Amino acid sequence: MTKRRALPAAVFVLLLATFLRFHLLEAQSFWNDEGNSARLSERSLPAILEGTASDVHPPLYYVLLRGWRELAGETEFGLRSLSAYAGVLTVAMVMALGGRGAGGQGSRGAGERGGPLNSSFVIRHSSFALAGLLAAVSPVLVYYSQETRMYALLALLAGLSAWVLLVWLGGARPGWRWAVAYVLLLAAGLYTHYFFPAVIAAQGVVAALWWLRPEWVTGRAVADGRARRLVTWLGLAAAAIALYLPWLPIFIRQIGGREGAPVALADFAAESARWLVLGSTVAAGEASWAMMAAAGLLLLGLVVGGRRSAVSLLLAVIPLALMFLVGATDPAFFKFMLVVVPFMLVLMGLAWRARRPWNVVPAGLIVAVLAGSLLSLGHLYGDPAFARADYRGMAARIAAAAHPNAGIILVAPNQWEAFTYYHRDGAPVYPLPRGRPDPAVVEPELAAIAAAHDRLYVLFWGAEQRDPQGIIAHWLDGHAFKASEEWVGDVRFVVYGLLGEPPAAPTPSGATFAGLDGETITLHEFNVWPAAAQAGDVVGARLLWSADATPRRAYKVFLHLLDETGQVVAQRDGEPGGGARPTTGWMAGELVTDNHGLLLPPDLPPGDYTLRLGLYDALDPTRRLATGDGDGLTLGTMTVR
């Protein structure tokens, strides 16, 4: 590719990368980790250093974000734009790396007049543009370029430090400026993420390969001085570590204890490959053809690239191997693999070196990979199923309800930063549990919170880790009335009414429901209060059930509020006990107390309404249980003022 064609190709790729990274940048809410970044960057520099000393990430990104917010503001767009710009620079770096892989060192070395930026490797072959195009549309690179976290910066530093290393190794007389730049980039990587030592280890193997086979790394043979250059690299790495010494004790304290459950190598390879190619915004099993095409491109790049592929292969495989060896195989750690993505894309770009007419094969594979990437990006931009948890929307809904005596519980507490980014005043926020969940500590806290409020909004996130016994959910289901429940991303958003004790004795019933497997379920008594309410209030129903035999299937309870024409104007469906007492766990003759809340719509007109109750198969809502002459039981009427 000539210079005249190379420049427009590079400009097009960078414009595309910029568009994709800034497109709908502010559309989604901050999720909890982004909220942590946003709130931490509000602090002074000493406070940031103090905070990150106990955080799971080192401080450099937060320090940069602290300065960036002064320039770009504290909106989602402003704070995320730091990652977006880092993402665009990463695409440029992939093109530079792809140029080296495609064309060798070029006519001039790093220590010669003109420097590496004037060497011919950038324009020797169009594979550099292909690598850049794949980087521009890479789902994982775009995703993390739209997140207020350090991962886009991590990918940039991994690629940039590798490029500087190759320039330094390829120079006939390696200049000290490149050596200093390399040391600073390594130190910056160490201060950005605790996984960066894996990048340094991979680059050390590249330096050792240069000592053994310099032509495999820089495209030209070197007769003398190789051992001295390798020793110098060790000195540069040591200098970077010396700059990191103030943080080294914190690194040692932080690196242990986060490995995931044991995973077979084949499973890790398959899952990580899918993530690297398509990201996390495609459903399992979707776009398998894109995976096959990516595998074909990688294989073809290795074959066609020959020894030119060795550097990218090492820089991609070694961090992956280290992830597996240290047990960082859970999908939550896959974002560490952003340090691998630039080199994987360079390998794919090498496939375009296939000679005519065989280059029709990589052309077809490229189209398939690009189609898979665009499919994933379409999900990222427009499919709510793949959206981040909408803390902005949840905070707005709570504010719009404007309940005069509401409280908010966050389970787990590390949602606090993201939620309070949007919820700055109004209802008090209670992060629970504080430390290890202990019923003797948590339940009195819940009782005190419940006594102070008439309504609770509860955000459950990662409860299986922070409250594995379900202490908070079980207490609330037994002492409050669950009025609504929905998933907002990976957050379970629940509204509870706190109604105190009923003002009257329960109403005897004795109504029986014919179970679908021959059992009989009896409603012994019920209590519904308040009898008069306002639109937007929660009405509670306390039910007392039993079954003559343990049901073999789960049933759900429905509460319907009907207007004078028989139309349903409010509805609540749920398993008994808020899901904690499914009917499949009832013992024969056991009495089961069951609380349900019905949230009245805020625009419900005043008038008299009828409340009906029934049961249905949890797996098939059309199969209702018969009772009396129908499939529902009238509990009474209530008035909306």
Side-chain angles (χ1 to χ4, degrees):
M1 180 179 287
T2 65
K3 286 185 178 181
R4 181 174 297 179
R5 293 182 179 179
L7 182 59
V11 170
F12 169 78
V13 167
L14 290 176
L15 288 176
L16 177 62
T18 302
F19 169 76
L20 292 175
R21 281 148 183 78
F22 283 90
H23 180 57
L24 298 177
L25 186 60
E26 78 291 352
Q28 294 189 29
S29 161
F30 282 150
W31 69 292
N32 47 35
D33 280 3
E34 286 187 288
N36 179 63
S37 298
R39 301 309 299 271
L40 192 57
S41 67
E42 295 173 353
R43 305 179 186 179
S44 65
L45 292 182
I48 290 175
L49 295 177
E50 180 182 358
T52 51
S54 58
D55 189 40
V56 295
H57 298 292
L60 180 60
Y61 172 76
Y62 301 113
V63 171
L64 294 175
L65 190 62
R66 176 69 181 88
W68 186 261
R69 71 184 297 129
E70 298 298 325
L71 297 173
E74 61 178 20
T75 64
E76 293 103 328
F77 186 95
L79 294 178
R80 284 174 175 157
S81 62
L82 176 60
S83 294
Y85 281 116
V88 174
L89 291 176
T90 299
V91 174
M93 188 50 52
V94 168
M95 286 194 286
L97 288 167
R100 294 196 67 86
Q105 170 58 26
S107 59
R108 292 186 179 130
E112 299 179 83
R113 185 178 178 182
L117 296 181
N118 290 329
S119 61
S120 62
F121 67 78
V122 176
I123 59 171
R124 281 285 187 89
H125 202 278
S126 56
S127 59
F128 91 96
L130 172 59
L133 178 61
L134 293 172
V137 301
S138 166
V140 291
L141 291 182
V142 173
Y143 186 95
Y144 287 99
S145 294
Q146 294 198 325
E147 188 170 272
T148 309
R149 297 295 284 166
M150 68 290 301
Y151 298 104
L153 178 62
L154 176 65
L156 174 61
L157 291 173
L160 188 57
S161 59
W163 183 77
V164 171
L165 172 64
L166 294 176
V167 169
W168 179 76
L169 288 174
R173 298 187 303 275
W176 65 269
R177 293 181 180 85
W178 292 106
V180 171
Y182 183 65
V183 169
L184 294 178
L185 287 169
L186 293 189
L190 291 171
Y191 277 107
T192 296
H193 200 277
Y194 290 128
F195 189 64
F196 201 80
V199 175
I200 298 177
Q203 292 180 8
V205 175
V206 170
L209 177 64
W210 179 88
W211 173 59
L212 294 171
R213 292 287 188 272
E215 65 276 9
W216 286 32
V217 176
T218 62
R220 66 184 183 88
V222 177
D224 301 318
R226 287 184 291 172
R228 183 171 60 253
R229 190 84 62 94
L230 179 61
V231 171
T232 303
W233 180 87
L234 292 172
L236 297 179
I241 294 172
L243 293 175
Y244 191 61
L245 283 177
W247 204 259
L248 190 59
I250 299 170
F251 167 79
I252 294 172
R253 186 176 71 237
Q254 292 286 357
I255 58 173
R258 294 193 184 91
E259 65 274 3
V263 174
L265 177 59
D267 293 337
F268 173 67
E271 292 181 17
S272 59
R274 182 172 182 81
W275 186 90
L276 287 166
V277 175
L278 295 172
S280 56
T281 48
V282 290
E286 187 179 14
S288 297
W289 42 268
M291 289 295 304
M292 296 174 63
L297 268 183
L298 284 170
L299 182 60
L300 193 57
L302 289 171
V303 172
V304 174
R307 67 189 187 188
R308 291 184 178 89
S309 64
V311 171
S312 294
L313 181 64
L314 290 172
L315 293 174
V317 169
I318 291 174
L320 289 174
L322 290 174
M323 282 186 66
F324 180 78
L325 290 175
V326 301
T329 54
D330 189 276
F333 301 121
F334 280 5
K335 50 200 170 188
F336 298 0
M337 292 189 290
L338 283 171
V339 302
V340 167
V341 176
F343 311 107
M344 178 190 75
L345 299 177
V346 169
L347 284 174
M348 289 184 178
L350 288 175
W352 193 243
R353 291 177 54 87
R355 297 181 181 274
R356 296 180 181 179
W358 299 107
N359 56 7
V360 68
V361 175
L365 297 175
I366 291 163
V367 170
V369 172
L370 291 176
S373 296
L374 294 177
L375 173 67
S376 182
L377 291 177
H379 291 331
L380 170 63
Y381 295 134
D383 191 339
F386 297 98
R388 297 172 175 92
D390 187 11
Y391 286 97
R392 178 174 58 198
M394 289 183 282
R397 288 168 59 181
I398 294 171
H403 193 281
N405 191 27
I408 302 166
I409 295 177
L410 303 179
V411 187
N414 54 340
Q415 300 179 91
W416 185 87
E417 291 85 359
F419 185 76
T420 57
Y421 176 85
Y422 300 105
H423 181 82
R424 299 289 178 132
D425 50 37
V429 180
Y430 305 97
L432 293 177
R434 306 176 192 275
R436 186 175 62 86
D438 182 353
V441 175
V442 174
E443 290 180 357
E445 286 188 281
L446 288 169
I449 294 169
H453 299 286
D454 299 324
R455 180 174 299 180
L456 288 176
Y457 299 95
V458 185
L459 283 66
F460 293 91
W461 177 79
E464 59 276 6
Q465 284 83 35
R466 296 308 304 267
D467 187 17
Q469 297 175 315
I471 297 169
I472 296 172
H474 291 162
W475 192 94
L476 290 171
D477 289 335
H479 295 81
F481 294 82
K482 184 184 291 184
S484 70
E485 179 180 24
E486 63 181 291
W487 284 95
V488 181
D490 56 356
V491 175
R492 187 162 62 96
F493 182 55
V494 186
V495 180
Y496 289 95
L498 297 161
L499 306 176
E501 291 302 314
T507 301
S509 173
T512 59
F513 293 79
L516 299 178
D517 298 305
E519 75 279 14
T520 298
I521 296 176
T522 301
L523 177 65
H524 294 276
E525 61 185 34
F526 62 88
N527 213 323
V528 177
W529 77 100
Q534 294 181 337
D537 285 351
V538 173
V539 176
R542 179 167 292 163
L543 315 172
L544 185 64
W545 301 98
S546 73
D548 63 354
T550 300
R552 295 204 299 267
R553 67 183 78 201
Y555 297 115
K556 281 189 174 182
V557 178
F558 69 81
L559 290 175
H560 288 173
L561 191 67
L562 309 178
D563 63 13
E564 59 185 7
T565 67
Q567 295 296 312
V568 176
V569 295
Q571 177 175 343
R572 167 66 186 154
D573 296 50
E575 292 192 65
R581 294 303 314 272
T583 54
T584 52
W586 293 5
M587 302 297 293
E590 177 188 9
L591 293 176
V592 178
T593 301
D594 178 23
N595 289 347
H596 293 269
L598 183 67
L599 182 61
L600 303 181
D603 56 352
L604 187 64
D608 294 328
Y609 295 87
T610 301
L611 184 64
R612 287 181 59 81
L613 168 147
L615 293 167
Y616 63 85
D617 186 345
L619 298 180
D620 185 359
T622 64
R623 302 191 67 186
R624 293 186 177 182
L625 276 62
T627 178
D629 295 330
D631 57 8
L633 176 70
T634 298
L635 299 184
T637 60
M638 62 168 295
T639 300
V640 175
R641 297 191 294 265

